[in-house]
Amino acid sequence: MTMQSAPVAKASNGPKMGAFKDKDKPASVRSSNIVAAKSVADAVRTSLGPRGMDKMIQSANGEVTITNDGATILKQMSVIHPTAKMLVELSKAQDIEAGDGTTTVVVLAGSLLEAADNLLAKGIHPTTISESFQRAAHQAEEILEQMSSPIDLKDDNELIKLATTSLNSKVVSQYSWLLAPMAVKAVKKVIDLEHDDNVNLKMIKIVQKVGETVEE
């Protein structure tokens, strides 16, 4: 009769593989994302509003663009950081959906992220901050619905006033008396009255003529 001894496992006093976790890494990643987004917002902040300054942008091929439109500025910028790219996409979405407010949404997003950074510094959990933003957005929608007033598409004078307001912050603001009625007339030609909440602007062609004045 032979007896075999069972193998004995020896306890190791060394560290377990995979048990180490860097608790500071998520916080540093969040901070990096917020800083990148704020940098994009600060870049377009000075072009906001009727008194906003125009930006002169030179592309890689030497073409110079002068504009204070947020979507145009961000489109010309070479943004690499993923979070900063999200703000660029946010501006594009605003331009497609509303055609205006491209700078405002980026500045608002930067300010909200700055407020979130202050809350994170106080030790508030990111999930709590995110849920609070969602509730605030829902409340803001209700307030905007209460503030809004219906628009009659047959009232050209009211539509021209709205178009003039959008042109006030553009380079051609001094020609709003000419361009606003032209824009209203063009949109009313292509709008579908059954789906009057959106217009396919690709159906309106803009022809550029070198050397001509705006009046011509």
Side-chain angles (χ1 to χ4, degrees), residues 34-105:
I34 290 173
V35 168
K38 283 170 59 180
S39 299
V40 174
D42 291 338
V44 297
R45 191 186 300 274
T46 54
S47 65
L48 180 64
R51 297 188 179 185
M53 295 180 289
D54 294 341
K55 304 287 186 186
M56 181 182 289
I57 307 164
Q58 184 174 8
S59 60
N61 60 2
E63 184 180 351
V64 177
T65 304
I66 300 175
T67 181
N68 64 358
D69 179 59
T72 305
I73 295 169
L74 294 174
K75 194 187 301 179
Q76 298 283 348
M77 290 171 61
S78 299
V79 179
I80 299 173
H81 197 282
T83 307
K85 282 184 177 179
M86 288 179 66
L87 286 192
V88 176
E89 293 301 320
L90 175 67
S91 179
K92 287 180 182 178
Q94 176 70 13
D95 191 29
I96 293 169
E97 184 65 26
D100 198 17
T102 52
T103 307
T104 305
V105 293

